[in-house]
Amino acid sequence: MDEQKTTGIQRSSTRTKRVRKKKKNQLPFGIAVLVLAIIFGILLGTKNQGMPIFWITGLAFGYILQRSRFCFTASMRDPFLTGSTSLTRTVLTAFAITTIGFAAIKYGAFIKGLPIPGQSYVVPISFATAAGAFMFGVGMVIAGGCASGTLMRVGEGFTMQILSLFFFIIGSLWGAHDFGWWKLNVILKGKAVFLPDVFGWIGAVIIQLLIIAMLWIAADKWENRKNLT
Amino acid sequence: MKEVELDCLGEACPIPLVKAENKLKEMEIGDVLIVQIDHSCAMKNVPEWARKEGHNVEVEEIDDGEWEIIIEKVK
């Protein structure tokens, strides 16, 4: 992203003469926040050994999300809106990396005979998955961000998304309230599939990576098709 | 040459993009569109779209968290 101070595009004289507000130096604030973050991390460490790790991971995740302008909403929306799939392919690349990482963690526990972590997230696929995905998709495009995106932009000080966050919490509470009904009537009627049970560990990783690669190629084709027209 | 300002301050992505798309359609070749935004996501997808369409694009940070995207319509 090239952010230039002077513009090469010819602009009318009235605008270029406009006096710019001098930017405040934010460095002292940055250092203060960093010191507070470290103190808070140490305090967390005295309460619970694991907490500082979550604190550091959370801060790192937020920082990377914000600086990279990463947006899950845009990755799903821009292919339809602008034909751009750069973020779509980024998300697919991230999925490919996490596929390998999670498979390694799970397989590591499996060969040691330990309980495989995260197996409680292997839940049945059903109509509820599709219905929920559809509603979430409509909601996130209107709200201007998914869960992580909304949190990140509240942190940036974007006022409208404080409203999004408020209703996101209300929606989550409502969802939690009715989850029992969905689980009993819809979700439990589906079938839970854990890919390594079906294809073996190597097979599952290869198949998942192949599907991601196919989606990546499709996304790339979609973007270039739009360029030609 | 006409210069049009488009105030998208406070608008979440993708509204600035859609507004810019519609505005640029009704403008003449050589006109300049200035989109004012304060949503970091629009800072990415508006220039990306405009560059892909083949227009001249520049981004200027006018204040902390406030940007002007200057688009010159070339076709």
Side-chain angles (χ1 to χ4, degrees), chain B residues 35-74:
Chain B
V35 194
Q36 301 167 317
I37 49 154
D38 59 1
H39 198 239
S40 61
C41 173
M43 215 271 277
K44 197 194 160 295
N45 68 7
V46 175
E48 197 183 71
W49 153 78
R51 285 203 183 96
K52 224 179 69 173
E53 296 284 306
H55 304 299
N56 289 334
V57 184
E58 263 154 28
V59 183
E60 208 178 334
E61 183 160 11
I62 52 164
D63 204 350
D64 293 320
E66 255 176 55
W67 298 272
E68 277 184 352
I69 301 167
I70 306 136
I71 305 167
E72 185 185 28
K73 186 166 179 170
V74 290

Side-chain angles (χ1 to χ4, degrees), chain A residues 96-125:
Chain A
I97 295 167
T98 48
T99 298
I100 297 166
F102 278 116
I105 292 169
K106 286 183 182 239
Y107 185 66
F110 173 74
I111 49 166
K112 280 187 202 146
L114 296 167
I116 301 171
Q119 286 306 86
S120 58
Y121 292 104
V122 182
V123 292
I125 40 170

Side-chain angles (χ1 to χ4, degrees), chain A residues 2-5 7-8 11-12 15 20-21 69 77 81-84 86 153 156 158 161 227, chain B residues 3 5 11 13-14 17 34 38-41 43 45 48 51-52 58-61 63 68 70:
Chain A
D2 44 341
E3 284 174 76
Q4 288 159 304
K5 281 265 176 276
T7 85
R11 297 167 73 178
S12 64
R15 283 197 53 85
R20 291 264 149 83
K21 250 191 296 178
R69 313 264 178 248
R77 179 197 61 210
L81 202 62
T82 65
S84 156
S86 60
R153 285 181 194 112
E156 278 185 345
F158 198 75
Q161 278 185 310
N227 267 349
Chain B
E3 200 176 77
E5 267 186 45
E11 310 257 34
C13 173
L17 178 65
I34 297 163
D38 59 1
H39 198 239
S40 61
C41 173
M43 215 271 277
N45 68 7
E48 197 183 71
R51 285 203 183 96
K52 224 179 69 173
E58 263 154 28
V59 183
E60 208 178 334
E61 183 160 11
D63 204 350
E68 277 184 352
I70 306 136

